[in-house]
Amino acid sequence: MLRRWGWFAALAPLGAASLLYVVVARGFLAGAAADPSLGWPLLGILPLFAFSMWLLTVSTARSALFLAWAATAMAIGSAFETFRLTNPDVIGEPWYPFFNLVELTASTVASAAFVSTFATFPTGIPERRWQRISVGLFWVPVVVVPLSLLVVPHVLTVQVHAEQGEGIPNPFALPALAWASPIVSWIVYSWPAVFLALAVLISRAFFGDPEVQARTRLMAWLTFAIFVSYSLTLFLPDNVLLNAVVLVILTAVPLVAIHGILRYGAFDVAAADRARSVTRSSNVLITVLYGIAAVAPAVLLVDRMTPLGIAFLTAIVAVALLPVRGWLQRWIHRVVFGDRDRQLAMLSELGAELERSADPGDLLTHLATAVADGLGATWVRIRLATSDAALADSPAGVAGDVVGDAVEGADLVHAEEFLGRIDVGPRHRGEYSEAERTLLRTVAGQAAASVANVRLTARLAQQLAELTASRERLVAAQDDERRRLERDLHDGIQQDIVAQIAGLRLARNRLERGQLSAAELTELQDLARQTLTDLRELAHGIHPPVLSDNGLVAAIESGAARYPIPLMVHADARVRAERYPVEVETTAYYVVREALANTAKHAHATRASVALARSNGHLRVSISDDGCGVGPNASSTASATSGGLANIRDRVAALRGTVRISAAEPSGTGTTVDVDLPVGAEGAR
C-alpha cells in the first residue's frame, strides 16, 4: 500500500508537469521552426497517463506499476522532445549528448514497461518460469542505454528520429568500442525485447491454461495491433490516417484494461472494490475520452483549417458523440450493477417471500426461484448443512433442472454459523458479471438470517417436544416408582406388620392364660427388628441418609462394596469436602446408580470406575467400564425414549446439564458416560 502511493506521489507530478510543459510550449509558445502538433501528447499519452495514475490508486498489481512507468516515461520523453524541437540550437551544445541520453532512457523505459505490461497482463506475474525470466530481460535495453554514450560514434536518438542522430557526432565515444555499436543500437531500440515479449504473450494467450487464455486473449490482439501500427509508422511515410489509427489503438488500451478489471479482476482489483472503483472513476474517464475524441479531428487538422472551421468541426463532433457517451455510461453501469430493474424486483419479491415463509422447504424453494429469475440462471440448487458442517446430498430448494456442475455459488452464513450453500448453474445467455456475483452474495446474506430463524424455530419446537416428552417420562417414572413402593410396602413390610399384630394378639391371649413363654417374645422382637431393617433399606433406596449426612462422594463409595464387580471412585479432596445443591447431589447420585446398574446388567464388564471433578462452575461425573461397549449407535442409544439412558438424560436435562456417551477406548470397547452439571459458585449449596 505504501509503495503504491509512494510511486503515485513520485510519478503523478512528474508526468503531469511534463504534459503541462508540452501543451504550453507547443500550443502557445511554439516558434516557426518547431513542430506544433499536439496530437500525440494529447490524444495518445494523456488518456493513457490519466488511466495509469487512476489504476495506481486502486491496484497493487505489478502490471499497474508497469503501465504507470510507461505512461510517465512517455510524458517525460515528449517533454524532452518538445524542448529540443522548440530550441533547435541545443543540438550544437557540448552537453547535448547527455540531454539526448535522458530522452533516450525515457523512451527505452516506456518500451520496456509497455512490453512488460502487455506480456504479463493482467497481474504482472506470468505463470511459467521462463516467462518470468523473460520479463527481466525486457529491461536489459534500459541498462544498456548509458553504454551508448561510450560505444556509438554518433548520438543515438529515439528511433523515430534515428536518421537525425546519425549526423550528430558523439565526442564521448571510445574508438576501441566502435565494434559494439551495431549490437548496442539493436538492443537499445528494444527489438529483442519486443520479440521476446510477443513470444511470452502468444504463449500465454494461445497456449496457456484455459483461464489464462481467456484473461489475456483480448489484450494479445490489441498488442498485435499496436505492434503492426507502430511498425508501419517507422517504415511508411507520415500521414494523418496512419497517425489516427495509432492513436485510436493506443486509446483502446484503457478500455481493454477496464474490460479486464470488470470481467476477470485484472490488475488484482478485489471483487469487493471493483464496483466502487469503477463507479467512482467511470464518469471521469468517459469525460476525458469524450473530450479527447471531440478535439481529436481539430488537433490532427490544425494546420489545414481556419480557426472558425476548427471550432465548427469540434462542435459537430462533440454533438455527434453525445449518444455514444451516454451509451458508454449506461453500458458500464449495466456491467457493474447488472440489470438493476430485474435485480431490484428480485430483492423486493424475495423480501416478501422471506416474511411469509415459515417452513424451511417453502422458504428455500422460493429463494431458489427468485435467484434463478433475478440472475437468469438455468438452475439454482440450495443445500443445507448437516450436523457435521457438511452439505446434505439432497437439496432443500431447487429451481430448474440441475445439470452439470455449478459455475457460481455463495455460502449461507449467519453469526459465523455455516447453514448451507446456494449453487448456481450457467446463465441462459453469456456469463455472470461481477455485479451479479455481488448480488448473489447479498441475497445469500439476506436469506441466511431468515433460514437461521426458521431453523431456530424448528429446533425450538423440537426441543419443546423433547422437553414435553421428558417431563412425561419423569412423571411416568415417578408413578412407576410410587407403584413399586406401594408393592414393596404391601407385599413386604405391610405383611410383616400384620403378622406382628397377629403374633402380639396371640401373645396377649397366652399371657392371660399364663402360657406365654420368653421364646415367643424373643421371636416377636426379632420379627420387629427385621421389619425395621427392611424399612431402613427401603428408605435408603429412596434417599440414602449417607447422601444427606456425608455428601455425594461418600454416598457413591458406600455402595461400591456391594457392587458385583470391582469399582473405583476417583475424586480429589476438594470435591470430597464440598457440598453441592441438594438437587445436584441427588441427580448425580442416581445418574451414577443408573449407569452402574446398566453396566452390571448389560456390559459384561470386569471393572468400572467413577470420576468426579469440579471446574468453571460445573460438576463433571464420568462413569466408565471395560465392557462390550455401546457400538456405533451410541448417539441413538443416548436419545432413546425409554430405559436407563433415557432416565439419565431426563434427570440431567432437568438441571440444564449435558450427557455424552462414547467408547471408553479408541478400539471401541468399553463405555464412558460423561455428565456435566452446572453447580454455580464454589461452595454454594
Side-chain angles (χ1 to χ4, degrees):
M1 179 67 71
L2 292 178
R3 186 187 70 170
R4 181 183 72 186
W5 286 104
W7 279 112
F8 177 82
L11 298 178
L14 194 59
S18 299
L19 288 174
L20 180 62
Y21 168 74
V22 170
V23 171
V24 172
R26 292 194 180 192
F28 301 98
L29 304 178
D35 177 9
S37 175
L38 286 172
W40 174 248
L42 291 182
L43 306 183
I45 301 177
L46 178 59
L48 192 65
F49 176 75
F51 173 75
S52 66
M53 291 300 104
W54 166 79
L55 188 62
L56 203 60
T57 64
V58 298
S59 171
T60 58
R62 187 180 300 177
S63 52
L65 189 58
F66 287 155
L67 193 60
W69 286 345
T72 306
M74 290 172 62
I76 294 173
S78 180
F80 274 84
E81 181 187 31
T82 299
F83 182 82
R84 176 171 48 80
L85 291 175
T86 55
N87 299 274
D89 296 338
V90 300
I91 296 177
E93 297 293 335
W95 45 266
Y96 178 72
F98 294 98
F99 176 88
N100 176 77
L101 188 65
V102 177
E103 182 181 357
L104 183 61
T105 301
S107 175
T108 309
V109 169
S111 300
F114 256 129
V115 297
S116 298
T117 302
F118 296 144
T120 63
F121 181 83
T123 62
I125 303 176
E127 297 74 31
R128 305 286 188 268
R129 182 181 179 186
W130 73 269
Q131 296 169 351
R132 292 191 290 271
I133 295 176
S134 299
V135 173
L137 297 177
F138 296 167
W139 295 86
V140 170
V142 179
V143 180
V144 175
V145 164
L147 298 178
S148 65
L149 198 63
L150 301 176
V151 173
V152 183
H154 61 273
V155 174
L156 195 64
T157 59
V158 295
Q159 189 155 358
V160 293
H161 304 296
E163 295 180 358
Q164 300 176 9
E166 293 179 357
I168 304 174
N170 176 18
F172 303 100
L174 301 177
L177 300 178
W179 60 270
S181 176
I183 301 176
V184 171
S185 300
W186 191 62
I187 294 176
V188 168
Y189 285 148
S190 303
W191 288 110
V194 170
F195 289 127
L196 191 58
L198 287 175
V200 172
L201 186 58
I202 291 173
S203 67
R204 298 178 67 235
F206 298 97
F207 303 101
D209 297 334
E211 182 181 357
V212 176
Q213 292 185 35
R215 290 159 61 96
T216 58
R217 186 71 57 85
L218 187 59
M219 183 61 76
W221 285 113
L222 179 63
T223 304
F224 180 73
I226 292 175
F227 174 75
V228 172
S229 61
Y230 182 72
S231 300
L232 291 177
T233 60
L234 296 178
F235 301 107
L236 294 180
D238 187 32
N239 63 83
V240 176
L241 180 61
L242 183 59
N243 291 335
V245 170
V246 173
L247 295 177
V248 169
I249 294 176
L250 195 62
T251 305
V253 173
L255 298 178
V256 173
I258 292 175
H259 174 270
I261 292 174
L262 297 175
R263 191 68 176 272
Y264 305 111
F267 301 102
D268 288 344
V269 178
D273 297 334
R274 289 173 203 165
R276 175 176 57 83
S277 300
V278 171
T279 53
R280 184 180 63 186
S281 60
S282 60
N283 288 334
V284 175
L285 290 176
I286 291 173
T287 301
V288 171
L289 293 176
Y290 170 76
I292 291 173
V295 303
V299 172
L300 294 175
L301 301 175
V302 64
D303 56 343
R304 303 183 185 184
M305 298 182 65
T306 63
L308 181 61
I310 292 175
F312 186 68
L313 177 63
T314 302
I316 292 177
V317 174
V319 173
L321 290 179
L322 278 176
V324 178
R325 175 184 177 182
W327 174 85
L328 189 59
Q329 288 178 327
R330 290 192 300 271
W331 176 79
I332 291 181
H333 193 270
R334 188 168 59 252
V335 169
V336 174
F337 296 107
D339 192 339
R340 296 301 298 271
D341 294 336
R342 185 182 62 187
Q343 294 170 2
L344 290 175
M346 182 193 76
L347 289 176
S348 177
E349 294 174 1
L350 177 61
E353 292 294 344
L354 293 180
E355 292 178 359
R356 290 195 298 265
S357 299
D359 180 76
D362 294 340
L363 171 67
L364 297 177
T365 299
H366 290 310
L367 175 60
T369 303
V371 172
D373 293 341
L375 299 182
T378 55
W379 58 264
V380 175
R381 176 185 61 200
I382 302 176
R383 292 180 292 172
L384 295 180
T386 59
S387 57
D388 57 352
L391 289 174
D393 295 331
S394 300
V398 177
D401 297 328
V402 179
V403 178
D405 297 330
V407 297
E408 296 294 340
D411 291 337
L412 295 171
V413 179
H414 179 69
E416 300 183 357
E417 179 185 4
F418 178 66
L419 303 177
R421 180 171 176 81
I422 304 176
D423 292 323
V424 180
R427 290 193 68 189
H428 289 291
R429 293 181 301 273
E431 298 180 355
Y432 294 104
S433 65
E434 184 57 38
E436 288 166 330
R437 298 188 187 95
T438 302
L439 177 65
L440 177 60
R441 292 190 292 268
T442 302
V443 170
Q446 180 182 4
S450 298
V451 173
N453 290 336
V454 172
R455 291 186 62 182
L456 179 60
T457 302
R459 190 179 303 167
L460 290 176
Q462 180 182 2
Q463 291 178 352
L464 178 60
E466 292 179 354
L467 179 60
T468 302
S470 174
R471 289 179 175 177
E472 291 175 353
R473 288 194 298 269
L474 286 175
V475 171
Q478 291 173 356
D479 290 341
D480 291 341
E481 185 69 14
R482 187 162 51 250
R483 285 191 292 270
R484 184 186 66 81
L485 289 174
E486 290 175 355
R487 288 194 302 270
D488 291 345
L489 290 172
H490 180 273
D491 299 339
I493 297 175
Q494 180 177 334
Q495 301 303 321
D496 292 341
I497 294 176
V498 170
Q500 291 179 35
I501 293 173
L504 289 173
R505 184 184 300 113
L506 179 61
R508 186 188 63 184
N509 294 335
R510 290 177 62 80
L511 178 62
E512 293 175 351
R513 294 194 298 268
Q515 298 175 353
L516 182 64
S517 64
E520 293 181 22
L521 293 176
T522 302
E523 183 179 353
L524 289 173
Q525 182 181 8
D526 293 339
L527 184 59
R529 186 179 292 110
Q530 182 61 41
T531 302
L532 178 60
T533 301
D534 293 341
L535 281 172
R536 286 176 175 174
E537 290 182 355
L538 182 62
H540 181 82
I542 298 174
H543 189 86
V546 66
L547 180 61
S548 300
D549 297 339
N550 300 326
L552 176 61
V553 178
I556 295 174
E557 289 179 334
S558 67
R562 299 192 302 271
Y563 197 62
I565 62 175
L567 173 64
M568 297 294 294
V569 179
H570 304 283
D572 58 27
R574 185 166 66 94
V575 175
R576 292 176 179 274
E578 185 176 357
R579 296 304 303 271
Y580 307 99
V582 174
E583 62 274 10
V584 172
E585 290 187 337
T586 303
T587 297
Y589 175 75
Y590 281 105
V591 163
V592 171
R593 280 191 55 184
E594 192 74 53
L596 292 177
N598 285 341
T599 297
K601 292 178 182 178
H602 310 296
H604 307 292
T606 60
R607 65 179 183 275
S609 65
V610 178
L612 298 96
R614 190 197 198 287
S615 64
N616 299 326
H618 289 261
L619 175 64
R620 294 179 172 85
V621 183
S622 178
I623 305 100
S624 303
D625 63 63
D626 63 349
C628 57
V630 293
N633 298 320
S635 60
S636 62
T637 302
S639 61
T641 57
S642 62
L645 294 178
N647 291 338
I648 291 175
R649 188 193 62 181
D650 291 342
R651 287 182 180 274
V652 173
L655 297 184
R656 298 187 179 183
T658 59
V659 178
R660 187 173 64 89
I661 302 174
S662 60
E665 299 179 7
S667 61
T669 60
T671 303
T672 297
V673 179
D674 292 313
V675 178
D676 189 294
L677 296 172
V679 295
E682 186 172 354
R685 179 171 181 175

